[in-house]
Amino acid sequence: MAESCSLLDTSEPHFRPLVVIELAKGTKEETIAWFTKRIVDKKGNGGAQLLVKPLLTEDGDENIYLVGASHLRLLLGAEAVGLVKECNDNSMRTFTYCSRKTFKDFADDNHDFLTMAECQYIIKHELENLRAKDEKIIPGYPQAKLYPGKSIVRRLLTSGILVQIFPLHDREELKKLRHSWYGRVKVGYQPLDEIRCYFGETIALYFGFLEYFTFALIPMAVIGIPYYVFAWEDYDKYVMFATFNLLWSTVILEVWKRICAIMTYRWGTLLMKRQFEEPRPGFRGVLGINPVTGREEPVYSSIRRQIRIYLVSLPFVCLCLYFSLYVMMIYFDLEQWALDYHEENESNFSSLMLYVPSIIYAVVIEIMNRLYRYAAEFLTSW
């Protein structure tokens, strides 16, 4: 980065709230003061260098805070997260503050250069990567332990001090989007670019796929109508229809891959460099230097990680596989017992007993699935 964020004045005369932070009611004043100070403090001091204002509720409890950022801070944050924007020569490149003049539609007074979704993503990224320096505990809560490199937001959430963090709606922008999207009856495509600017790429891709899939099903529906109306006895016609469905399903998938690549390239997400991401908020490690980026961040020994995988995770997976096979063999034995019992008695009760092994097996599978899911999430995080 050509210019350090800590050395620049990132104050903003017009505060624009983008993200909401809700603290638990009754949060201690010293905790609020410490947390808000870390949010507004300079990057060089371990802060996020954002803007914070309390939102007074009807009962006067200041447990909700609005978070924003100056235009300059958002531009520097866009470089930090590796946002890809369109240049004046129509190419897509990673945004850098020093070469900002080369990007399309950029101007120092154009606050719409970054979309609302991008601004909220930058703020969320900065908040999640607020990490402890020398603090051992969260002020006011001795039971909430900290260590160098620990995510502050993560600890506040797990301690119940921080209730939630969520993006704030812009009523005017939402009204415009509603009018162009679903506010009036029309036949046409969805405004995917506008959806992306407001909600982000993930939501826009979701609605883009729904739109594409709806149109892609029209040929299958048109060809399938005669098969539904007329009861043909020539089964060769049904074979032809099944063959068409098989081929068309493959075509649908391949064409969607191409359309998806076009949209993600145009929106800049196809070229984003994920290898320079900050560690996830729940990552645990000692504060050190990343050998790739040279930045100070939590690191964890690769040898210790391999030991956890091969001495804990792998044996546990093998044990689960053995237990699953053992339960399946018990089910086969029960099924054979029920069949033998039915052959000996030939009664209504014995007929019902034929379904008992399957019912028991289904219940056991559901229980095991829940246990395995919990164990998988726990081991993955651990």
Side-chain angles (χ1 to χ4, degrees), residues 142-160:
Q143 73 279 6
K145 305 295 182 182
L146 288 174
Y147 58 88
K150 175 62 180 176
S151 172
I152 293 175
V153 170
R154 178 82 173 187
R155 175 57 70 208
L156 290 172
L157 284 170
T158 55
S159 301

Side-chain angles (χ1 to χ4, degrees), residues 313-330:
S313 295
L314 185 60
F316 181 79
V317 171
C318 294
L319 180 64
C320 291
L321 288 174
Y322 171 77
F323 186 68
S324 299
L325 291 173
Y326 185 75
V327 170
M328 186 173 63
M329 297 306 297
I330 293 177

Side-chain angles (χ1 to χ4, degrees), residues 307-373:
I307 290 175
R308 288 191 174 202
I309 292 174
Y310 292 109
L311 297 186
V312 179
S313 295
L314 185 60
F316 181 79
V317 171
C318 294
L319 180 64
C320 291
L321 288 174
Y322 171 77
F323 186 68
S324 299
L325 291 173
Y326 185 75
V327 170
M328 186 173 63
M329 297 306 297
I330 293 177
Y331 163 70
F332 288 151
D333 292 339
L334 286 176
E335 195 175 45
Q336 185 61 44
W337 171 82
L339 185 61
D340 294 340
Y341 181 81
H342 177 67
E343 291 178 351
E344 291 178 1
N345 295 272
E346 293 288 342
S347 62
N348 293 332
F349 178 75
S350 64
S351 299
L352 293 175
M353 289 298 294
L354 292 175
Y355 299 99
V356 171
S358 299
I359 296 174
I360 295 176
Y361 191 51
V363 173
V364 171
I365 285 178
E366 182 62 26
I367 295 174
M368 291 173 62
N369 281 339
R370 293 179 180 273
L371 294 176
Y372 288 161
R373 186 179 296 110

Side-chain angles (χ1 to χ4, degrees), residues 5 26 147 156 165 194 210 229 248 258 283 289:
C5 183
Y147 58 88
L156 290 172
I165 298 178
E194 297 177 25
L210 290 182
V229 174
W248 187 244
R258 182 178 182 85
F283 181 78
I289 303 299

Side-chain angles (χ1 to χ4, degrees), residues 253-271:
L253 179 60
E254 296 303 320
V255 174
W256 167 248
K257 289 180 182 178
R258 182 178 182 85
I259 294 176
C260 184
I262 292 173
M263 287 193 296
T264 52
Y265 178 81
R266 188 175 74 248
W267 294 338
T269 57
L270 191 64
L271 305 176

Side-chain angles (χ1 to χ4, degrees), residues 240-285:
M240 293 173 58
F241 183 56
T243 304
F244 169 78
N245 286 343
L246 180 63
L247 295 176
W248 187 244
S249 299
T250 305
V251 172
I252 287 175
L253 179 60
E254 296 303 320
V255 174
W256 167 248
K257 289 180 182 178
R258 182 178 182 85
I259 294 176
C260 184
I262 292 173
M263 287 193 296
T264 52
Y265 178 81
R266 188 175 74 248
W267 294 338
T269 57
L270 191 64
L271 305 176
M272 287 186 70
K273 295 181 179 180
R274 297 295 181 183
Q275 64 266 33
F276 299 121
E277 282 184 322
E278 294 280 351
R280 63 185 176 86
F283 181 78
R284 182 183 179 90

